[in-house]
Amino acid sequence: MHKHIKNIAWLIVALLGASAVSGIALNRGESINALWFITAAVCVFAIAYRFYATWIAVKVLVIDETRATPAERLDNGRDFIPTNKWVVFGHHFAAIAGPGPLVGPTLAAQFGYLPGTLWILVGAVLGGAVQDMVTLFFSTRRNGRSLGQMARDEIGPIGGAAALIGTFMIMIILIAVLGLVVVNAMKHSPWATSTVAATIPIAMIVGFYMRNLRPGRVLEASALGVILLLLAVVIGGWVDHHEGLRVLFDHEGLPLAWGIIAYGFAAAVMPVWLLLAPRDYLSTFMKLGTVILLAIAIVILRPEVQMPALTQFTDGTGPIFGGKLFPFVFITIACGAISGFHALIASGTTPKLLANERDIRMIGYGGMLLESFVAIMAMIAATVLEPGIFFAINSPAGVVGASAVDAVAKINSWGYAVTVEQMNQLAKDMGESTLFARTGGAPSLAVGMASIFGSAFGKSMLALWYHFAIMFEAIFILTTLDAGTRVGRFMLQDMLGNIWPKLGQTSWMPSVIFTSALVVAGWGYFLYIGVIDPNGGVNILWPLFGIANQMLAAIALCVATGILIKSGKLKYAWITGLPLVWLVVITTTAAWQKIFSTDIRVGFFAAANDLTEKLASGVLSAEKAAVAPQLIFNQQLDAYLTMFFILVLWVVLMDMVRVTYYYLADKQLLPSTESPHEPSRLVEDWVRD
């Protein structure tokens, strides 16, 4: 009887989810309530986690909770440390949930709400969550090896070498974009800057508390950390209104960039228990608390989505970024649906902390679904704004005009009503001098969140909610940057370890310092060129970020598919093979367009050539002419990097196809590098908490 009740309950959830998705997909000509988006996400993700993820864990991966993990077998107190599953979940979620689920859906809203929403729902369930889960499993079974090293060990030296170099270079680009979004969110925001700075000593206090003062007392440490974090938020607001202290945290982009570079180096070098894990864990409380509060506000208000399902910009003429709906909606919404960066975390820090294999489904698959729910919240926050306001905030001055009057006239000509007075009043309500041309996605998302919070909990506090949202975004993204830097260090050590084994020892301090410095110098350069870009850097770096990120996901799925086939599980290879085929199609198409398109808003070479001609003819202002050579070089560099990344992807793909052929032809393959089974002696003693 109890089983029948459960089946009926899940059937109701399935029907409700199907109704919500159908309502979103078929609605035309009138506004739709945002509550349908939450309903669709909750139902779809719940069913996927309960049934699809469980089936993969039990039937495909055959997870063994009696098996010792690398964290237990290789425990060294620095990188490999058996850690409470909730702390690992918090670290993993904080590390993967970067700008993608926040900025991606916001930027992609220029196409309308429908394409992005459907991609988030379908892509996460069938692609992103599967990739994260299987990568975490395979890395855990291989002593926490990085993605590139697993490719080299399991697929072959050619594809492996390409994957090692390619994934590392892609990682550099990804971290640079994370840093750029953080800088844009914190720039001239003393509240955000002071609060983010305070999270560093708070994390170290909590890390010391859990490891030395009260080992295993996770709830005590969590309570202490949350109290200090909330206090930091309150003090940040006080700093923002204190003239003497405000100046200390009110900075331009370049000083903030140097500060972020220094923090990234520290996070990569210091023991994981002291800064990285506790900071990411505490940030999760802030992230989830804000997202849950936003969901509650949406349920209370039931706001109408103002953006149409599809806009006229699906043809590629959008003001925020160039490119048609296909393939660029799938490139722009990266982390919200599927993200290669997640595979680096799942084969980087997380498998070195995992205490038991049974937690892989919750951390890998569940963590991705939670991030996709954040992406749905971001889509709602962006699309409940009036379209005219949305485009006024996100459209760069170079597209709509430098003056407010010109921008309003241009946006009205598209059919989206907005006035100068309306924008001025909105800026005043948000405590800003202007909201025109605040590109990058973060400001418009903050306005959308503040509008929802203000309507639900008091419009007199709009400025407070806006700056809280900016601070939330900065904290959200910075946790991905620090974990990414550490993973980049692991990847570089794996590569150099093939040349000099001593450099491959992840806890040998000379190697730690040397490789961390190289990683930070790499992404620090791209962060610098993004900060000095007069267009905010997003136009240069975000398309490359999206393409590189999805190519990295395709490489991860190649490795996973190859290992599944080698393991005698060919009949299950479709779970990674189908999303792999889709990603190869969209990334190859996008790369081709970014390299060869003659549209200066799409093609890298086209944009570089256009700027070269303008510089030669003397039509640029003195300010733009000063940075034009750097921007021309950057566009050309982006084009060559895209060529390299697509070459890496196809080399790895062909090597995986070779592995498949060898398996079917019963030819000799590389031996599996899965570590031998050792029974776990670790007893999780978290019950006292």
Side-chain angles (χ1 to χ4, degrees):
M1 187 66 178
H2 180 65
K3 182 179 180 181
H4 291 308
I5 294 174
K6 287 174 62 178
N7 290 339
I8 292 172
W10 281 112
L11 179 61
I12 293 172
V13 172
L15 292 173
L16 185 59
S19 300
V21 173
S22 299
I24 294 170
L26 301 177
N27 183 73
R28 295 291 186 279
E30 59 184 39
S31 58
I32 184 172
N33 196 289
L35 200 56
W36 285 108
F37 290 73
I38 294 180
T39 303
V42 169
C43 293
V44 169
F45 294 159
I47 290 172
Y49 182 77
R50 170 60 184 85
F51 295 102
Y52 191 44
T54 302
W55 177 78
I56 293 174
V58 174
K59 294 292 185 180
V60 181
L61 303 180
V62 193
I63 284 173
D64 183 1
E65 64 181 50
T66 67
R67 185 188 184 108
T69 64
E72 177 184 352
R73 291 184 289 101
L74 307 176
D75 185 1
N76 61 13
R78 173 171 286 274
D79 296 314
F80 291 87
I81 305 173
T83 307
N84 179 279
K85 65 181 179 181
W86 294 111
V87 175
V88 180
F89 180 87
H91 156 72
H92 183 80
F93 174 73
I96 66 173
L102 295 176
V103 178
T106 304
L107 298 178
Q110 80 164 5
F111 294 130
Y113 68 76
L114 181 59
T117 301
L118 293 181
W119 172 232
I120 291 169
L121 294 175
V122 177
V125 167
L126 299 180
V130 172
Q131 175 212 238
D132 294 10
M133 182 178 175
V134 298
T135 303
L136 178 57
F137 174 80
F138 288 137
S139 180
T140 301
R141 286 285 177 96
R142 287 158 180 79
N143 291 335
R145 284 290 196 185
S146 68
L147 177 64
Q149 191 63 38
M150 284 195 293
R152 187 178 187 276
D153 294 342
E154 296 285 346
I155 294 180
I158 297 176
L164 273 170
I165 298 170
T167 53
F168 177 73
M169 291 186 64
I170 290 172
M171 183 66 150
I172 294 297
I173 299 297
L174 301 189
I175 300 173
V177 176
L178 302 179
L180 179 63
V181 177
V182 172
V183 168
N184 286 341
M186 293 170 61
K187 190 162 55 178
H188 294 305
S189 181
W191 189 355
T193 305
S194 60
T195 304
V196 170
T199 62
I200 297 172
I202 290 172
M204 296 175 72
I205 291 170
V206 171
F208 185 77
Y209 187 97
M210 282 197 292
R211 185 168 179 83
N212 297 102
L213 291 182
R214 302 275 285 173
R217 303 288 183 172
V218 177
L219 291 184
E220 289 181 15
S222 301
L224 173 64
V226 170
I227 291 170
L228 292 175
L229 195 60
L230 293 176
L231 189 61
V233 174
V234 174
I235 293 174
W238 176 70
V239 167
D240 192 42
H241 291 89
H242 191 285
E243 288 301 322
L245 294 174
R246 193 179 200 281
V247 189
L248 299 176
F249 297 96
D250 188 358
H251 297 290
E252 292 284 348
L254 210 50
L256 291 172
W258 286 115
I260 288 171
I261 288 170
Y263 168 72
F265 178 77
V269 170
M270 296 172 72
V272 69
W273 62 265
L274 181 58
L275 177 59
L276 187 69
R279 189 188 182 285
D280 290 358
Y281 175 60
L282 290 176
S283 296
T284 301
F285 286 100
M286 173 65 72
K287 294 179 178 184
L288 294 185
T290 304
V291 170
I292 291 170
L293 188 64
L294 185 61
I296 292 171
I298 291 171
V299 171
I300 293 172
L301 290 176
R302 299 189 297 280
E304 297 292 318
V305 172
Q306 304 297 322
M307 188 71 72
L310 294 168
T311 69
Q312 68 266 41
F313 301 128
T314 55
D315 63 356
T317 60
I320 301 175
F321 60 90
K324 295 183 179 181
L325 176 65
F326 179 86
F328 287 102
V329 72
F330 307 103
I331 296 300
T332 305
I333 299 180
C335 306
I338 182 169
S339 168
F341 181 82
H342 296 189
L344 302 184
I345 302 298
S347 62
T349 51
T350 304
K352 297 175 177 63
L353 303 175
L354 192 73
N356 196 296
E357 282 191 7
R358 67 168 174 263
D359 302 324
I360 288 176
R361 179 175 73 115
M362 178 189 78
I363 294 168
Y365 201 96
M368 177 61 209
L369 293 185
L370 190 57
E371 179 174 357
S372 298
F373 186 73
V374 173
I376 291 291
M377 293 294 101
M379 179 65 76
I380 293 172
T383 55
V384 295
L385 292 174
E386 293 181 23
I389 293 175
F390 172 83
F391 286 112
I393 298 174
N394 285 291
S395 301
V399 175
V400 295
S403 72
V405 174
D406 291 341
V408 164
K410 184 71 172 179
I411 294 166
N412 276 280
S413 72
W414 299 332
Y416 302 117
V418 65
T419 66
V420 175
E421 293 74 21
Q422 188 180 12
M423 290 299 297
N424 288 342
Q425 183 60 49
L426 183 63
K428 183 179 178 182
D429 291 340
M430 300 297 167
E432 294 287 307
S433 57
T434 181
L435 286 172
F436 279 105
R438 296 291 299 274
T439 58
S444 68
L445 176 60
V447 171
M449 291 174 62
S451 300
I452 293 171
F453 285 144
S455 298
F457 308 116
K459 288 203 170 185
S460 61
M461 301 170 62
L462 273 176
L464 183 147
W465 287 120
Y466 173 80
H467 286 92
F468 174 82
I470 288 289
M471 177 273 304
F472 157 76
E473 293 175 43
I475 287 180
F476 208 108
I477 297 165
L478 196 59
T479 52
T480 311
L481 182 144
D482 55 23
T485 303
R486 196 178 191 91
V487 171
R489 189 251 288 178
F490 290 148
M491 294 167 64
L492 186 57
Q493 287 179 299
D494 271 350
M495 280 194 289
L496 296 179
N498 293 312
I499 302 171
W500 184 19
K502 190 72 173 176
L503 286 174
Q505 295 178 13
T506 58
S507 297
W508 186 47
M509 279 309 296
S511 174
V512 169
I513 294 172
F514 174 66
T515 53
S516 297
L518 288 180
V519 171
V520 170
W523 63 256
Y525 169 75
F526 285 98
L527 173 58
Y528 170 76
I529 66 174
V531 169
I532 67 169
D533 178 15
N535 291 324
V538 172
N539 291 336
I540 287 181
L541 289 179
W542 192 267
L544 183 62
F545 168 86
I547 293 171
N549 195 29
Q550 304 302 65
M551 286 181 182
L552 188 53
I555 291 173
L557 290 169
C558 279
V559 175
T561 304
I563 294 177
L564 281 175
I565 292 170
K566 282 181 58 180
S567 303
K569 298 178 180 179
L570 180 64
K571 66 178 180 179
Y572 296 128
W574 61 268
I575 69 165
T576 53
L578 289 180
L580 169 61
V581 171
W582 176 245
L583 285 182
V584 169
V585 170
I586 63 172
T587 53
T588 303
T589 305
W592 180 271
Q593 293 185 21
K594 295 301 292 184
I595 295 168
F596 297 108
S597 175
T598 56
D599 184 346
I600 62 172
R601 299 184 62 246
V602 177
F604 289 129
F605 283 129
N609 294 337
D610 178 71
L611 192 55
T612 302
E613 293 174 4
K614 289 179 178 178
L615 180 63
S617 61
V619 298
L620 297 177
S621 66
E623 181 185 357
K624 290 185 177 179
V627 296
Q630 183 73 62
L631 298 181
I632 292 168
F633 172 77
N634 295 340
Q635 293 280 11
Q636 293 172 338
L637 179 62
D638 285 354
Y640 289 120
L641 283 173
T642 303
M643 290 181 184
F644 174 75
F645 292 156
I646 199 68
L647 176 64
V648 166
L649 170 60
W650 277 93
V651 167
V652 177
L653 179 65
M654 289 298 99
D655 225 10
M656 189 274 291
V657 171
R658 179 190 60 80
V659 167
T660 305
Y661 169 74
Y662 276 30
Y663 175 80
L664 294 175
D666 203 23
K667 293 186 176 182
Q668 185 175 4
L669 293 168
L670 287 174
S672 172
T673 57
E674 181 175 309
S675 59
H677 180 283
E678 287 186 27
S680 175
R681 296 180 175 83
L682 187 64
V683 177
E684 290 190 83
D685 191 22
W686 316 121
V687 291
R688 58 172 172 266
D689 284 325

